PDB file of all heavy atoms in Angstrom:
ATOM      1  N   GLN A  86      75.780  -0.065  17.188  1.00  0.00           N
ATOM      2  CA  GLN A  86      76.685  -0.046  18.228  1.00  0.00           C
ATOM      3  C   GLN A  86      77.845  -1.029  17.999  1.00  0.00           C
ATOM      4  O   GLN A  86      78.974  -0.806  18.406  1.00  0.00           O
ATOM      5  CB  GLN A  86      75.994  -0.481  19.534  1.00  0.00           C
ATOM      6  CG  GLN A  86      75.002   0.506  20.116  1.00  0.00           C
ATOM      7  CD  GLN A  86      74.112  -0.091  21.071  1.00  0.00           C
ATOM      8  OE1 GLN A  86      73.974  -1.273  21.337  1.00  0.00           O
ATOM      9  NE2 GLN A  86      73.497   0.815  21.817  1.00  0.00           N
ATOM     10  N   ALA A  87      77.655  -2.109  17.093  1.00  0.00           N
ATOM     11  CA  ALA A  87      78.661  -3.060  16.813  1.00  0.00           C
ATOM     12  C   ALA A  87      79.389  -2.419  15.612  1.00  0.00           C
ATOM     13  O   ALA A  87      80.307  -3.334  15.094  1.00  0.00           O
ATOM     14  CB  ALA A  87      78.008  -4.399  16.485  1.00  0.00           C
ATOM     15  N   GLY A  88      79.077  -1.308  15.015  1.00  0.00           N
ATOM     16  CA  GLY A  88      79.853  -0.822  13.916  1.00  0.00           C
ATOM     17  C   GLY A  88      79.446  -1.164  12.557  1.00  0.00           C
ATOM     18  O   GLY A  88      80.210  -0.993  11.536  1.00  0.00           O
ATOM     19  N   VAL A  89      78.260  -1.775  12.380  1.00  0.00           N
ATOM     20  CA  VAL A  89      77.737  -2.208  11.077  1.00  0.00           C
ATOM     21  C   VAL A  89      77.532  -0.905  10.172  1.00  0.00           C
ATOM     22  O   VAL A  89      76.986  -0.001  10.730  1.00  0.00           O
ATOM     23  CB  VAL A  89      76.475  -3.068  11.246  1.00  0.00           C
ATOM     24  CG1 VAL A  89      75.907  -3.305   9.867  1.00  0.00           C
ATOM     25  CG2 VAL A  89      76.806  -4.364  11.916  1.00  0.00           C
ATOM     26  N   ASP A  90      77.794  -1.016   8.930  1.00  0.00           N
ATOM     27  CA  ASP A  90      77.717   0.043   8.037  1.00  0.00           C
ATOM     28  C   ASP A  90      76.136   0.150   7.640  1.00  0.00           C
ATOM     29  O   ASP A  90      75.632  -0.543   6.809  1.00  0.00           O
ATOM     30  CB  ASP A  90      78.434  -0.099   6.726  1.00  0.00           C
ATOM     31  CG  ASP A  90      78.280   1.039   5.796  1.00  0.00           C
ATOM     32  OD1 ASP A  90      77.381   1.794   5.921  1.00  0.00           O
ATOM     33  OD2 ASP A  90      78.991   1.024   4.877  1.00  0.00           O
ATOM     34  N   LEU A  91      75.283   0.763   8.509  1.00  0.00           N
ATOM     35  CA  LEU A  91      73.851   0.933   8.264  1.00  0.00           C
ATOM     36  C   LEU A  91      73.486   1.593   7.043  1.00  0.00           C
ATOM     37  O   LEU A  91      72.369   1.194   6.547  1.00  0.00           O
ATOM     38  CB  LEU A  91      73.197   1.510   9.560  1.00  0.00           C
ATOM     39  CG  LEU A  91      73.270   0.788  10.810  1.00  0.00           C
ATOM     40  CD1 LEU A  91      72.352   1.320  11.807  1.00  0.00           C
ATOM     41  CD2 LEU A  91      72.759  -0.799  10.627  1.00  0.00           C
ATOM     42  N   ASP A  92      74.262   2.599   6.593  1.00  0.00           N
ATOM     43  CA  ASP A  92      73.863   3.223   5.447  1.00  0.00           C
ATOM     44  C   ASP A  92      73.847   2.262   4.180  1.00  0.00           C
ATOM     45  O   ASP A  92      72.852   2.290   3.356  1.00  0.00           O
ATOM     46  CB  ASP A  92      74.690   4.359   5.047  1.00  0.00           C
ATOM     47  CG  ASP A  92      74.602   5.631   6.049  1.00  0.00           C
ATOM     48  OD1 ASP A  92      73.506   5.748   6.600  1.00  0.00           O
ATOM     49  OD2 ASP A  92      75.592   6.329   6.229  1.00  0.00           O
ATOM     50  N   ARG A  93      74.815   1.383   4.095  1.00  0.00           N
ATOM     51  CA  ARG A  93      74.899   0.506   3.024  1.00  0.00           C
ATOM     52  C   ARG A  93      73.893  -0.582   3.127  1.00  0.00           C
ATOM     53  O   ARG A  93      73.064  -0.872   2.229  1.00  0.00           O
ATOM     54  CB  ARG A  93      76.236  -0.287   3.052  1.00  0.00           C
ATOM     55  CG  ARG A  93      76.372  -1.264   2.020  1.00  0.00           C
ATOM     56  CD  ARG A  93      77.652  -2.180   2.251  1.00  0.00           C
ATOM     57  NE  ARG A  93      77.768  -3.136   1.417  1.00  0.00           N
ATOM     58  CZ  ARG A  93      78.376  -4.358   1.763  1.00  0.00           C
ATOM     59  NH1 ARG A  93      79.223  -4.397   2.786  1.00  0.00           N
ATOM     60  NH2 ARG A  93      78.308  -5.573   0.991  1.00  0.00           N
ATOM     61  N   LEU A  94      73.410  -0.978   4.414  1.00  0.00           N
ATOM     62  CA  LEU A  94      72.416  -1.937   4.651  1.00  0.00           C
ATOM     63  C   LEU A  94      71.039  -1.456   4.288  1.00  0.00           C
ATOM     64  O   LEU A  94      70.231  -2.043   3.664  1.00  0.00           O
ATOM     65  CB  LEU A  94      72.540  -2.439   6.066  1.00  0.00           C
ATOM     66  CG  LEU A  94      71.695  -3.607   6.555  1.00  0.00           C
ATOM     67  CD1 LEU A  94      71.918  -4.830   5.550  1.00  0.00           C
ATOM     68  CD2 LEU A  94      71.770  -3.879   8.054  1.00  0.00           C
ATOM     69  N   LEU A  95      70.723  -0.205   4.724  1.00  0.00           N
ATOM     70  CA  LEU A  95      69.452   0.404   4.504  1.00  0.00           C
ATOM     71  C   LEU A  95      69.131   0.688   3.112  1.00  0.00           C
ATOM     72  O   LEU A  95      68.080   0.957   2.792  1.00  0.00           O
ATOM     73  CB  LEU A  95      69.290   1.611   5.486  1.00  0.00           C
ATOM     74  CG  LEU A  95      69.162   1.335   6.937  1.00  0.00           C
ATOM     75  CD1 LEU A  95      69.263   2.525   7.757  1.00  0.00           C
ATOM     76  CD2 LEU A  95      67.746   0.510   7.090  1.00  0.00           C
ATOM     77  N   ALA A  96      70.164   0.751   2.361  1.00  0.00           N
ATOM     78  CA  ALA A  96      70.040   0.993   0.839  1.00  0.00           C
ATOM     79  C   ALA A  96      69.105  -0.099   0.235  1.00  0.00           C
ATOM     80  O   ALA A  96      68.311   0.069  -0.785  1.00  0.00           O
ATOM     81  CB  ALA A  96      71.265   1.056   0.151  1.00  0.00           C
ATOM     82  N   TYR A  97      69.041  -1.209   0.938  1.00  0.00           N
ATOM     83  CA  TYR A  97      68.232  -2.390   0.436  1.00  0.00           C
ATOM     84  C   TYR A  97      66.691  -2.337   1.015  1.00  0.00           C
ATOM     85  O   TYR A  97      65.930  -3.149   0.610  1.00  0.00           O
ATOM     86  CB  TYR A  97      68.897  -3.749   0.753  1.00  0.00           C
ATOM     87  CG  TYR A  97      70.131  -4.051   0.076  1.00  0.00           C
ATOM     88  CD1 TYR A  97      71.360  -3.762   0.701  1.00  0.00           C
ATOM     89  CD2 TYR A  97      70.143  -4.428  -1.361  1.00  0.00           C
ATOM     90  CE1 TYR A  97      72.473  -4.023  -0.011  1.00  0.00           C
ATOM     91  CE2 TYR A  97      71.274  -4.604  -1.959  1.00  0.00           C
ATOM     92  CZ  TYR A  97      72.562  -4.474  -1.341  1.00  0.00           C
ATOM     93  OH  TYR A  97      73.729  -4.719  -1.967  1.00  0.00           O
ATOM     94  N   ALA A  98      66.562  -1.422   2.048  1.00  0.00           N
ATOM     95  CA  ALA A  98      65.164  -1.476   2.647  1.00  0.00           C
ATOM     96  C   ALA A  98      64.171  -0.658   1.765  1.00  0.00           C
ATOM     97  O   ALA A  98      64.507   0.210   0.886  1.00  0.00           O
ATOM     98  CB  ALA A  98      65.339  -0.754   3.971  1.00  0.00           C
ATOM     99  N   LEU A  99      62.826  -1.024   1.815  1.00  0.00           N
ATOM    100  CA  LEU A  99      61.743  -0.280   1.274  1.00  0.00           C
ATOM    101  C   LEU A  99      61.893   1.211   1.835  1.00  0.00           C
ATOM    102  O   LEU A  99      62.125   1.258   2.997  1.00  0.00           O
ATOM    103  CB  LEU A  99      60.416  -0.874   1.571  1.00  0.00           C
ATOM    104  CG  LEU A  99      59.958  -2.140   0.880  1.00  0.00           C
ATOM    105  CD1 LEU A  99      58.522  -2.429   1.313  1.00  0.00           C
ATOM    106  CD2 LEU A  99      60.044  -2.023  -0.665  1.00  0.00           C
ATOM    107  N   SER A 100      61.532   2.108   0.990  1.00  0.00           N
ATOM    108  CA  SER A 100      61.387   3.485   1.374  1.00  0.00           C
ATOM    109  C   SER A 100      60.245   3.604   2.526  1.00  0.00           C
ATOM    110  O   SER A 100      59.307   2.742   2.309  1.00  0.00           O
ATOM    111  CB  SER A 100      61.279   4.349   0.339  1.00  0.00           C
ATOM    112  OG  SER A 100      60.028   4.276  -0.184  1.00  0.00           O
ATOM    113  N   PRO A 101      60.264   4.476   3.336  1.00  0.00           N
ATOM    114  CA  PRO A 101      59.125   4.746   4.285  1.00  0.00           C
ATOM    115  C   PRO A 101      57.740   4.841   3.472  1.00  0.00           C
ATOM    116  O   PRO A 101      56.766   4.454   3.804  1.00  0.00           O
ATOM    117  CB  PRO A 101      59.403   5.756   5.064  1.00  0.00           C
ATOM    118  CG  PRO A 101      60.996   5.819   5.119  1.00  0.00           C
ATOM    119  CD  PRO A 101      61.420   5.424   3.820  1.00  0.00           C
ATOM    120  N   ALA A 102      57.891   5.615   2.392  1.00  0.00           N
ATOM    121  CA  ALA A 102      56.714   5.832   1.592  1.00  0.00           C
ATOM    122  C   ALA A 102      56.167   4.534   0.956  1.00  0.00           C
ATOM    123  O   ALA A 102      54.834   4.458   0.906  1.00  0.00           O
ATOM    124  CB  ALA A 102      56.971   6.829   0.439  1.00  0.00           C
ATOM    125  N   GLU A 103      57.026   3.665   0.594  1.00  0.00           N
ATOM    126  CA  GLU A 103      56.582   2.399   0.049  1.00  0.00           C
ATOM    127  C   GLU A 103      56.069   1.335   1.121  1.00  0.00           C
ATOM    128  O   GLU A 103      55.302   0.516   0.839  1.00  0.00           O
ATOM    129  CB  GLU A 103      57.592   1.833  -0.850  1.00  0.00           C
ATOM    130  CG  GLU A 103      58.008   2.629  -2.012  1.00  0.00           C
ATOM    131  CD  GLU A 103      59.265   2.041  -2.738  1.00  0.00           C
ATOM    132  OE1 GLU A 103      60.173   1.604  -2.086  1.00  0.00           O
ATOM    133  OE2 GLU A 103      59.250   2.187  -4.060  1.00  0.00           O
TER     134      GLU A 103
END
Side-chain angles (χ1 to χ4, degrees):
Q86 291 167 340
V89 171
D90 184 349
L91 288 188
D92 288 339
R93 179 186 164 206
L94 188 55
L95 286 169
Y97 292 101
L99 282 185
S100 71
E103 293 172 330

